[in-house]
Amino acid sequence: MTKMTQKRMLLSRLGSDRRGNFAMMTAFALPVILAAGGFAMDLSNMVLKKAELQDALDSAALAAASALSSDKKSVTEAKAIALTFFKTQMTNKTADSSAASAFKVDIQEKALAGSAKSFKVSTSSDLKVEFNALTRLMGQTSSTISAAGTAESATGSKNALSMFLVLDRSGSMSFQTNEIASTTVACQNWTSSNWGGNPKATTPCYVRKIGALKTAVASLFGVLNKIDPNNEYVRAGAVSYNDVMQTEKPLAWGTANAMSYVNALPEKPEGGTDSHSAFAKAYEKLAPTDASKETEIGEHKKKSGLDPVKFIVFMTDGENTHYDGKSGTTYAKKSDDDTLTACTAAKAAKITVYTVAFMAPTRGQTLLRSCASSSANYYAAEDMTGLISAFEEIGKSAAAIASRLTQ
């Protein structure tokens, strides 16, 4: 074999040898892989820092709004409180310093009816996030996160609210509760077993479900009357239903008109159950948002200058059996479906929906549980005491929500 042939064979072996390729590819790819890993870590860190910054700005805005309304602080004092609160909420001291330097707070003050005022507090800041050494391999050293927070409050009464009751007055509302009305005066104690007949009047005489409902509504309105004794901030309306919807009592200042409507419900209600039209009516009356028109917002704006918080209180003791006067399983389901559609629309329109199932069967409970704004807004009452307690709690909750700072 000649020397020339040996050289050719050596060059051929070198050209076909792939053993060094992986090392070369790794050498080129490793920086990219490391940088990608570093970027993933920094991205997670930025998400956490963004959330921390947002929470701090929201807290600062709420603190300032509360100081203006509850503590009667001046605008200058409220701004100082906002900055202090913001610094306290930030956990990283280096980030705290840079974010505090970029922190801004703006307070808009507006005169309301009488001597009352409303405040809108806006906060904002930037936070510089330093990248780790791996991300810096890509040439990026840091990024800036921005966020903003807002809160509103008002001096004087902040209890502007509109509430519409949707109440069951079907035949089962004639049934007795476990509460004794009289031990000496006899009455017909209706139950599911004797409904449709003519039972003999007996003692003790028990409170009927409809009577329990009237007492429960009075307890709810009693709470609202305490926060608005002069009928300046609360508007209430009501509608009842059995297998059809009855004419509603329109929303009016105070609770007296709605209470008179409830007290006028028959002592012996009759008929089946169809809630869809009544709930849709409540939604229709509360949903419009154009303050320039004759809407709930417009009515409150004209009288107090406040935006009302809106509520629907939906109660049943049964389950839907009809749809627009027609009975049957298909119609009952359609009533459930249409009621739930209206519930969804109401919640989307920022109307808080409370529901109360009063000794109701499973399907009725399921509908009301789905309709409520949250599990905390659903009440299951198994007796008269539970019903009154539920309505009273709804009154307290509505008053608290109306008084709460809005974020």
Side-chain angles (χ1 to χ4, degrees), residues 287-299 301 310:
T289 58
D290 187 346
S292 67
K293 297 180 180 179
E294 293 298 319
T295 65
E296 280 309 289
I297 287 181
E299 291 297 321
K301 285 289 187 182
K310 301 174 185 178

Side-chain angles (χ1 to χ4, degrees), residues 51-376:
E52 180 182 349
L53 180 63
Q54 187 66 63
D55 287 344
L57 289 169
D58 289 340
S59 297
L62 284 168
S66 179
L68 289 163
S69 61
S70 301
D71 301 330
K72 305 298 187 294
K73 297 293 186 181
S74 67
V75 170
T76 300
E77 290 172 323
K79 287 183 176 181
I81 289 171
L83 177 58
T84 300
F85 216 90
F86 178 74
K87 289 181 177 180
T88 302
Q89 293 295 104
M90 298 298 289
T91 58
N92 184 293
K93 298 308 177 186
T94 302
D96 177 23
S97 178
S98 67
S101 299
F103 179 76
K104 296 179 181 178
V105 57
D106 177 68
I107 298 177
Q108 297 179 13
E109 182 179 328
K110 181 180 178 182
L112 301 177
S115 60
K117 296 178 181 179
S118 68
F119 304 95
K120 182 176 181 179
V121 181
S122 302
T123 56
S124 63
S125 185
D126 300 324
L127 178 62
K128 185 178 181 181
V129 179
E130 298 289 343
F131 290 156
N132 62 50
L134 296 178
T135 305
R136 292 178 184 178
L137 292 173
M138 302 295 289
Q140 291 291 106
T141 60
S142 64
S143 181
T144 300
I145 299 171
S146 299
T150 60
E152 297 180 9
S153 65
T155 59
S157 174
K158 300 185 290 296
N159 303 305
L161 67 88
S162 293
M163 178 178 286
F164 215 100
L165 307 184
V166 181
L167 305 176
D168 187 348
R169 52 161 286 181
S170 59
S172 56
M173 287 297 290
S174 295
F175 296 174
Q176 70 176 54
T177 66
N178 62 345
E179 189 77 14
I180 296 176
S182 175
T183 57
T184 57
V185 178
C187 69
Q188 289 180 302
N189 291 303
W190 299 103
T191 65
S192 58
S193 60
N194 65 21
W195 185 247
N198 187 27
K200 180 182 177 181
T202 58
T203 57
C205 176
Y206 289 93
V207 176
R208 295 176 182 174
K209 286 184 178 180
I210 193 68
L213 176 63
K214 294 176 182 181
T215 302
V217 172
S219 70
L220 185 161
F221 284 162
V223 175
L224 300 186
N225 292 338
K226 287 180 181 179
I227 65 171
D228 184 32
N230 298 318
N231 300 334
E232 298 176 295
Y233 301 100
V234 174
R235 285 168 60 81
V239 64
S240 62
Y241 63 94
N242 49 19
D243 46 53
V244 294
M245 180 186 75
Q246 281 74 52
T247 302
E248 77 278 6
K249 175 64 73 171
L251 287 151
W253 292 105
T255 64
N257 285 342
M259 191 70 242
S260 67
Y261 178 87
V262 175
N263 284 332
L265 294 175
E267 291 300 315
K268 185 192 172 187
E270 296 182 342
T273 309
D274 175 14
S275 60
H276 86 279
S277 294
F279 194 98
K281 176 63 67 175
Y283 166 62
E284 172 193 324
K285 295 300 182 182
L286 290 174
T289 58
D290 187 346
S292 67
K293 297 180 180 179
E294 293 298 319
T295 65
E296 280 309 289
I297 287 181
E299 291 297 321
H300 283 280
K301 285 289 187 182
K302 286 188 294 185
K303 192 155 190 173
S304 67
L306 298 174
D307 286 332
V309 187
K310 301 174 185 178
F311 303 93
I312 291 176
V313 180
F314 175 29
M315 168 267 163
T316 186
D317 78 322
E319 58 188 24
N320 285 317
T321 58
H322 289 67
Y323 187 89
D324 290 344
K326 300 176 182 178
S327 64
T329 303
T330 300
Y331 293 112
K333 184 179 184 304
K334 184 169 177 55
S335 181
D336 282 354
D337 292 343
D338 283 11
T339 301
L340 193 55
T341 296
C343 288
T344 302
K347 289 182 282 190
K350 297 183 178 180
I351 298 171
T352 300
V353 180
Y354 291 99
T355 60
V356 183
F358 181 27
M359 301 170 67
T362 300
R363 188 160 64 84
Q365 292 181 29
T366 299
L367 174 63
L368 266 62
R369 191 178 288 109
S370 300
C371 185
S373 289
S374 72
S375 58

